[in-house]
Amino acid sequence: MTAASAGVERTSFRGPHGPVEAVQVRPSSAGRAPAPAVLILHEGLGLTVHAVELARRFAQEGYLAFAPNLYSHDAVHRTFTEAEVARGVGLLRAPDRDEVVARLPAGEQDRLQAVFAWFSDRDTSTYLPDARAAAAHLAGRFDVRPRGIAAVGFSLGGGLVGQLAVAGVELAAGAVFYGQAPPLDQVTSVRFPLQVHYAEEDTAITPRARAVQEAFRAAGRELISFVYPGTRHGFFNETRPAYHADAAGLSWRRTREFLAERIGVAAQPRPYTVAGEGVRAAG
């Protein structure tokens, strides 16, 4: 067993569209008492080695880490390697994409074009139902502490955390990394506090940050947000070109503190507070 796979269990649960694959990592204290749990919702790259390693990191913090494969029903995704998806998604919106692809051997061009087509045509309708089913699965487990479940999502998964928040799902907290906000007219339905991490140079997500903050404040819902200067979408993932070590480290510390306060071993329930804005990150 490699270091990356140590402690990782392959499992599945029942979703509305059939079985959903997942990985889980139990905390070292497993078996002594029900543990708080973190539901990890992956970015568009899929349930990658990075996502699995993140589950291990949360388990080391004392959480039962549970990461569903949101592409479990996607037969086309299974035809690509993790490297092909990462390369294709990384080039998808690059201004020189066509030039880069044209310089590659014909076989590589074909594979990249297939990834582009898949990413644009994905059936996204199963993602939220499967995320909801994952939360319900955790809530029904004897080894998970009642009312001790939080969700953490990245990009695609970050947007899903926001959707869970307005869908009435009973979670204790949610952390969102560069994910699309739910419709602002629905924030009055938010059921749990959110911490949001924005990349400053993410033109698809960050320009709405102020409007999101104001909508949460008006609705009396708790939202703590941070903008990380000089960062791009994907800054937390060390396998992506956008990786920013300082911002990744700072956002990880803030996420750990947020979750420890909300669902950690010593955490106590807290009432909602009116939305407050976090300081701009320094690194």
Side-chain angles (χ1 to χ4, degrees), residues 98-115:
D98 293 341
E99 296 176 16
V100 172
V101 173
R103 292 195 295 266
L104 298 173
E108 293 183 37
Q109 291 187 37
D110 292 342
R111 294 296 289 173
L112 280 175
Q113 294 294 350
V115 173

Side-chain angles (χ1 to χ4, degrees), residues 21 46 67 73 79 89 98 101 112 128 135 149-150 153 156 161 173 204 209 217 234 240 246 249 251 262:
E21 301 163 350
H73 314 300
T79 67
V89 172
D98 293 341
V101 173
L112 280 175
L128 180 58
I149 305 168
L156 165 69
V161 172
R217 181 179 292 111
R240 302 186 67 171
D246 290 343
S251 59
R262 303 296 174 166

Side-chain angles (χ1 to χ4, degrees), residues 267-282:
Q268 298 295 324
R270 285 182 30 151
Y272 274 119
T273 60
V274 175
E277 184 175 12
V279 298
R280 289 173 63 85

Side-chain angles (χ1 to χ4, degrees), residues 38-43 66 68 70 127-128 131-132 135 149-183 189-197 216 222-223 255 258-259:
V38 175
L39 171 62
I40 301 168
L41 299 176
H42 62 69
E43 59 190 328
F66 192 82
L70 299 172
Y127 302 164
L128 180 58
R132 295 188 66 160
I149 305 168
V152 178
F154 302 82
S155 190
L156 165 69
L160 289 172
V161 172
Q163 291 182 60
L164 292 176
V166 300
V169 177
E170 295 290 345
L171 296 175
V176 176
F177 284 74
Y178 32 85
Q180 289 284 1
S189 300
V190 168
R191 301 291 294 275
F192 52 84
L194 292 174
Q195 183 186 75
V196 184
H197 304 275
F216 271 73
E222 186 174 1
L223 177 74
T255 301
F258 179 64
L259 296 186

Side-chain angles (χ1 to χ4, degrees), residues 69-189:
N69 180 2
L70 299 172
Y71 295 147
S72 290
H73 314 300
D74 191 328
V76 177
H77 179 263
R78 295 179 186 277
T79 67
F80 303 124
T81 66
E82 184 173 316
E84 287 174 335
V85 173
R87 190 179 191 186
V89 172
L91 283 171
L92 198 63
R93 296 180 179 86
D96 60 345
R97 184 185 84 178
D98 293 341
E99 296 176 16
V100 172
V101 173
R103 292 195 295 266
L104 298 173
E108 293 183 37
Q109 291 187 37
D110 292 342
R111 294 296 289 173
L112 280 175
Q113 294 294 350
V115 173
F116 297 154
W118 161 75
F119 196 82
S120 298
D121 297 337
R122 291 172 300 168
D123 177 6
T124 63
S125 64
T126 63
Y127 302 164
L128 180 58
D130 283 349
R132 295 188 66 160
H137 167 77
L138 288 172
R141 290 176 54 154
F142 72 91
D143 56 348
V144 172
R145 197 174 70 200
R147 296 177 296 282
I149 305 168
V152 178
F154 302 82
S155 190
L156 165 69
L160 289 172
V161 172
Q163 291 182 60
L164 292 176
V166 300
V169 177
E170 295 290 345
L171 296 175
V176 176
F177 284 74
Y178 32 85
Q180 289 284 1
L184 299 187
D185 60 358
Q186 295 181 18
V187 298
T188 54
S189 300

Side-chain angles (χ1 to χ4, degrees), residues 45-66:
L45 300 181
L47 189 58
T48 61
V49 171
H50 164 77
V52 174
E53 176 59 26
L54 183 59
R56 294 182 66 246
R57 290 170 68 183
F58 275 117
Q60 290 168 0
E61 297 291 324
Y63 303 103
L64 188 151
F66 192 82

